[in-house]
């Protein structure tokens, strides 16, 4: 019964992965109209001296780590804050908190691109009115702040995921455990740190793994907002692979980059799985 599904997965996922691994050992440019030339490990050796590769890897780590960490903290805090608040007003507040998750990532990118506009953007208008800045800031055209601006947009888009995850996990805490804490006169912070957070540990590990993979592969927001610029200030690994494959048509080198990209995600996944396994066996 599962054979048709396995065949589809093999065709859609298995073949491209095998093809990528194979081409990563070749020099293959679509514009040359020549067969691939075997290079062995030369493509991987080239990465060691490829400055753009290291910049894109650093940007990817900042983008992924900053987004996941901050959105997890904010989502968890908001879920804890709204946990026991009832009524139509707080239901509406929860709906507003969740609403960014329903917005397509491309729409999020265009929305923040317009908000960050130097002339007429709402971000500059608010900061100017508050006296925080004296002149409009070109948020997406400055190498020192453009990546941070994209991370802020991404945090806004991904925080609802952790809010939903934590809210669901909180509803699964047994009432007997919370009642015992009340009987023992445990304070608010004691209940949060010693009862609720331990119950949230495993869901947060799984959720953060999913978000790490999602943000590591995030192409739409970065491309729509800056296309990796200015210079290479916001070029992430996925953007660099795209440029090599579909702008320079260096399929061999792009495949090698993609293979390193895959291995990094596998290492992260193994780390999270081991962490989750160790937690379950504690």
């Amino acid at each position: 019964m599962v054979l048709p599904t396995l065949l589809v997965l093999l065709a859609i996922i298995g073949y491209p992965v095998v093809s990528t691994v194979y081409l990563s050992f070749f020099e293959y440019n679509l514009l040359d109209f020549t067969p691939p030339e075997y290079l062995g490990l030369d493509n991987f050796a080239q990465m060691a001296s490829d400055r753009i590769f290291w910049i894109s890897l650093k940007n990817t780590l900042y983008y992924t780590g900053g987004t996941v960490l901050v959105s997890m903290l904010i989502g968890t805090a908001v879920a804890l804050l709204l946990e026991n608040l009832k009524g139509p007003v707080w239901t509406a507040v929860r709906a507003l908190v969740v609403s960014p998750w329903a917005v397509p990532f491309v729409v999020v990118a265009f929305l923040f691109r317009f908000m960050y506009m130097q002339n007429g953007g709402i971000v500059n208008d608010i900061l100017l009115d508050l006296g925080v800045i004296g002149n409009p800031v070109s948020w997406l055209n400055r190498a020192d702040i453009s990546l941070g601006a994209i991370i802020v947009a991404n945090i806004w888009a991904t925080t609802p995921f952790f809010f939903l995850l934590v809210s669901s996990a909180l509803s699964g805490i047994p009432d007997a455990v919370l009642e015992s804490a009340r009987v023992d006169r445990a304070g608010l912070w004691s209940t949060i740190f010693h009862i609720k957070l331990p119950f949230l540990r495993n869901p947060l590990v799984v959720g953060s793994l999913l978000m790490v993979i999602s943000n590591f592969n995030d192409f739409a927001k970065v491309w729509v907002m800056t296309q990796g610029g200015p210079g290479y200030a916001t070029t992430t690994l996925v953007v660099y692979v795209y440029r090599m494959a579909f702008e320079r048509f260096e399929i061999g080198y792009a495949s090698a980059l993609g293979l390193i990209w895959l291995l990094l995600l596998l290492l992260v996944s193994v780390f999270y799985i081991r962490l989750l396994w160790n937690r379950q066996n504690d």
Side-chain angles (χ1 to χ4, degrees):
M1 292 180 64
V2 299
L3 185 59
T5 303
L6 291 176
L7 292 176
V8 171
L9 290 176
L10 189 62
I12 296 177
I13 299 176
Y15 173 74
V17 170
V18 173
S19 179
T20 298
V21 174
Y22 174 77
L23 291 174
S24 66
F25 298 101
F26 288 82
E27 180 182 1
Y28 183 33
N29 191 308
L30 293 179
L31 299 180
D32 289 343
F33 300 102
T34 57
E37 178 184 351
Y38 180 73
L39 296 178
L41 298 176
D42 287 358
N43 282 331
F44 300 97
Q46 181 180 340
M47 290 183 208
S49 58
D50 186 350
R51 183 178 65 90
I52 303 174
F53 165 71
W54 293 107
I55 292 175
S56 65
L57 180 59
K58 180 192 70 174
N59 290 341
T60 302
L61 295 177
Y62 283 155
Y63 180 79
T64 302
T67 296
V68 173
L69 179 61
V70 176
S71 59
M72 180 172 62
L73 292 175
I74 296 176
T76 302
V78 174
L80 289 170
L81 182 64
L82 298 179
E83 179 187 9
N84 296 317
L85 299 178
K86 309 296 182 183
V89 174
W90 295 112
T91 300
V93 171
R94 289 185 177 87
L96 289 175
V97 172
V98 173
S99 59
W101 186 246
V103 180
F105 284 166
V106 174
V107 177
V108 172
F110 276 111
L111 172 65
F112 275 85
R113 183 176 175 180
F114 291 130
M115 290 172 61
Y116 284 139
M117 288 177 60
Q118 186 172 3
N119 297 315
I122 189 173
V123 174
N124 278 324
D125 288 346
I126 292 175
L127 294 179
L128 285 170
D129 290 341
L130 294 176
V132 177
I133 57 177
N135 297 297
V137 177
S138 183
W139 296 98
L140 299 178
N141 293 320
R142 284 179 47 180
D144 57 334
I145 60 174
S146 53
L147 182 61
I150 298 176
I151 290 174
V152 170
N154 201 28
I155 289 171
W156 181 84
T158 56
T159 294
F161 170 82
F162 285 101
F163 171 76
L164 291 171
L165 179 73
V166 173
S167 297
S168 177
L170 287 172
S171 65
I173 299 177
D175 292 335
V177 175
L178 297 175
E179 186 62 31
S180 297
R182 296 190 191 98
V183 171
D184 293 337
R185 296 185 178 181
L188 174 63
W189 295 109
S190 179
T191 301
I192 291 175
F193 283 102
H194 298 291
I195 296 177
K196 293 183 178 180
L197 288 183
F199 273 97
L200 298 176
R201 183 174 55 191
N202 288 346
L204 285 177
V205 169
V206 175
S208 60
L209 171 60
L210 295 175
M211 282 294 100
V212 165
I213 295 173
S214 175
N215 286 282
F216 209 92
N217 298 330
D218 190 5
F219 174 80
K221 285 192 285 295
V222 177
W223 186 257
V224 169
M225 294 180 73
T226 64
Q227 294 188 359
Y232 298 103
T234 60
T235 297
T236 57
L237 196 55
V238 62
V239 172
Y240 189 39
V241 171
Y242 173 84
R243 287 191 179 279
M244 294 301 298
F246 300 107
E247 290 185 353
R248 298 178 58 179
F249 299 100
E250 294 285 353
I251 302 300
Y253 190 57
S255 296
L257 291 169
L259 182 57
I260 296 299
W261 173 12
L262 175 62
L263 292 176
L264 288 173
L265 285 178
L266 287 175
L267 288 175
V268 171
S269 300
V270 169
F271 169 77
Y272 271 94
I273 291 171
R274 287 179 61 87
L275 179 62
L276 186 61
W277 178 264
N278 292 334
R279 293 295 188 185
Q280 289 178 339
N281 291 332
D282 286 344

